[in-house]
Amino acid sequence: MFNQAIVRIGVRYGVICGIASFVLLLVTYLFGYNPLGESGRWSFFVLPVFIFLGMKYYKQFLDTELSFFKGLRVGLAISFYTALVTAMLLFIFLYFFGHELVTEYIAEMQTLLEATREESIKLYGEEIYEQSYKELGSMSLSRLASFDFIARLVVGSLFSLVAAVFFRK
């Protein structure tokens, strides 16, 4: 069940992809945009590239008869290590340099929440809307990093599914 080759490929491609994603977040920050907002989503575009490269390498050199589930495990391993590395680096960056970024992000999200107040109340109710607005004001660095981790893991899982179908025997 435990395949060291899958873990090695996941670590290799996942760590490189995580570093590349973080570099894109830094570039976004250096151009004057908030990498926690919508402009930071550009860093997700390297994820499918590394998932496809990792699966291609695995199929070409380690297992030419790559099954769907083994390909999915390779993609999920790459996604996991990418999400882990990016979230850790983002947390470290925000801890040392990004306190104003967090306050900007909170203000941006509160403005967005206020703009969609009527629709949110209609969908979720007044109580959940007020709770969300209150919790948004007390957003912590660890919560932002964990949201980034979960988002990258979900996106990576979707691309892993597509790549596993593409590379299956």
Side-chain angles (χ1 to χ4, degrees):
M1 188 74 183
F2 181 73
N3 192 339
Q4 286 186 356
I6 291 175
V7 174
R8 283 195 312 265
I9 297 295
V11 168
R12 179 183 308 148
Y13 284 92
V15 169
I16 293 170
C17 181
I19 292 170
S21 295
F22 181 70
V23 166
L24 285 175
L25 287 173
L26 282 180
V27 167
T28 304
Y29 173 71
L30 293 176
F31 278 125
Y33 297 104
N34 190 347
L36 300 175
E38 290 299 316
S39 57
R41 300 295 174 229
W42 285 99
S43 66
F44 281 76
F45 286 120
V46 295
L47 188 57
V49 172
F50 279 93
I51 288 173
F52 276 90
L53 288 175
M55 279 195 200
K56 180 182 176 198
Y57 180 85
Y58 187 84
K59 184 171 182 165
Q60 188 174 16
F61 294 110
L62 298 172
D63 187 7
T64 57
E65 297 294 320
L66 184 64
S67 67
F68 171 76
F69 290 110
K70 209 175 262 189
L72 185 63
R73 286 176 39 204
V74 170
L76 290 176
I78 294 169
S79 301
F80 174 76
Y81 287 109
T82 297
L84 185 67
V85 168
T86 307
M88 287 186 335
L89 290 173
L90 181 66
F91 178 80
I92 292 169
F93 173 73
L94 290 176
Y95 184 78
F96 288 112
F97 304 110
H99 293 291
E100 69 276 352
L101 288 175
V102 174
T103 56
E104 286 177 27
Y105 175 72
I106 290 171
E108 180 182 321
M109 293 308 294
Q110 285 176 338
T111 305
L112 180 67
L113 203 57
E114 289 170 359
T116 60
R117 178 182 171 90
E118 294 176 12
E119 293 88 16
S120 298
I121 290 175
K122 189 186 298 181
L123 250 100
Y124 306 115
E126 180 79 32
E127 182 180 317
I128 293 177
Y129 173 81
E130 294 298 329
Q131 182 182 2
S132 299
Y133 193 83
K134 188 169 45 174
E135 286 180 3
L136 190 59
S138 63
M139 182 73 69
S140 66
L141 298 178
S142 59
R143 185 177 285 180
L144 282 172
S146 63
F147 284 161
D148 187 72
F149 174 81
I150 291 169
R152 288 184 197 282
L153 198 58
V154 168
V155 170
S157 299
L158 293 174
F159 282 116
S160 297
L161 189 65
V162 171
V165 168
F166 182 76
F167 281 109
R168 73 174 190 252
K169 60 179 175 176

